[in-house]
Amino acid sequence: MALVSNSPRRAFQVREQLQALGVGEDAYDTVITSGELTRSHLERDFQGQKFYHLGPQEDRATVEQMDLFEVDHADEADVIVATGLVGRDVDAHMPLLAKAAQNRRPLLCANPDRVVRHEGKMFICAGAVADRYEAMGGPVVWLGKPAPPPYAASRHFFAEHAGREVSASEQLIIGDGLATDIAGAAREGIASILIEHGVHHADFLAQGIEPLMKQHRAVPAYRMEFLQW
């Protein structure tokens, strides 16, 4: 059991969050986060270079204590690390990133979600900024679902755990995001279960599921209202 999260934070932080929610470590075998994958990417490809962090203070562990140099302005950086927004207005971030996009500085998106539901509220995530950065001509490296990196990491974990390669037909992906969980599962050839009482719940009630599946070009193998095991 691998918990794959688009959280921009490190795996140990997500494990702590799960523990606080009453989910003990005996309920899963590993945690793979976009934040951890972003950190690994930085250490592998940008060692000794300059980076700019776009995101809130609570995501700082993702970019701290590495052999990189942090700068105060995006246009001074060799790479931009987007873990989230500073404030809630996506448009307000564009002047900050315009020159970096023009100079084609890569932006590592440590949370490809566009929105997330938390305690009944919807929050805009780094994926929304990365979309706009890409539209301005800046290159984006997506390090979470539905892009390949988290699935490669889970395959590697399963192979180590099983002592052999684990085929797509032996895996099952469970999630509530059509554009992330379900689209990523389809890209990897893995069956999926869509949890309807999640990020799309209000849209399901208003439109039904068919228009949303068409919009996101993602069709789950199975559907459940809530996550019930």
Side-chain angles (χ1 to χ4, degrees):
M1 174 76 74
L3 300 185
V4 181
S5 171
N6 275 0
S7 170
R9 299 181 186 178
R10 300 195 62 186
F12 79 86
Q13 293 176 291
V14 171
R15 286 195 295 269
E16 289 172 354
Q17 289 178 305
L18 291 168
Q19 189 71 41
L21 292 170
V23 181
E25 293 193 6
D26 57 344
Y28 56 89
D29 296 299
T30 193
V31 173
I32 297 167
T33 71
S34 300
E36 201 72 54
L37 293 171
T38 299
R39 186 179 177 87
S40 297
H41 192 88
L42 284 168
E43 290 177 329
R44 185 184 69 240
D45 293 350
F46 294 96
Q47 198 170 83
Q49 298 189 49
K50 295 178 290 185
F51 78 94
Y52 174 77
H53 174 225
L54 176 66
Q57 184 66 28
E58 52 262 36
D59 297 341
R60 290 289 305 170
T62 300
V63 296
E64 288 179 334
Q65 298 180 335
M66 289 188 294
D67 185 19
L68 286 92
F69 303 97
E70 187 168 10
V71 294
D72 295 328
H73 303 284
D75 54 11
E76 298 173 354
D78 298 305
V79 59
I80 299 162
V81 184
T83 63
L85 278 66
V86 181
R88 296 178 60 88
D89 186 357
V90 175
D91 290 338
H93 294 72
M94 296 308 106
L96 172 73
L97 300 173
K99 189 172 181 180
Q102 182 181 352
N103 293 334
R104 298 194 58 76
R105 296 291 186 260
L107 181 146
L108 308 188
C109 184
N111 182 355
D113 287 346
R114 278 66 175 180
V115 295
V116 67
R117 179 187 293 272
H118 180 66
E119 295 181 349
K121 297 179 181 179
M122 302 297 287
F123 295 91
I124 301 173
C125 301
V129 172
D131 281 340
R132 295 290 301 277
Y133 189 78
E134 214 166 40
M136 291 192 297
V140 174
V141 180
W142 301 90
L143 287 155
K145 303 171 290 185
Y151 305 102
S154 62
R155 280 196 304 272
H156 179 73
F157 169 77
F158 291 144
E160 284 195 332
H161 194 68
R164 61 174 178 83
E165 286 195 17
V166 177
S167 68
S169 64
E170 296 176 277
Q171 300 176 50
L172 177 68
I173 288 175
I174 305 171
D176 70 339
L178 282 164
T180 51
D181 304 307
I182 307 306
R187 181 177 295 172
E188 299 293 322
I190 301 172
S192 62
I193 299 177
L194 174 67
I195 305 303
E196 296 181 354
H197 202 283
V199 68
H200 298 298
H201 185 235
D203 292 328
F204 287 153
L205 294 177
Q207 305 176 38
I209 191 171
E210 297 297 334
L212 289 169
M213 290 193 299
K214 185 175 180 180
Q215 174 188 339
H216 294 288
R217 299 179 182 179
V219 179
Y222 311 100
R223 291 157 48 193
M224 295 171 64
E225 186 176 1
F226 297 94
L227 178 58
Q228 300 174 7
W229 196 259

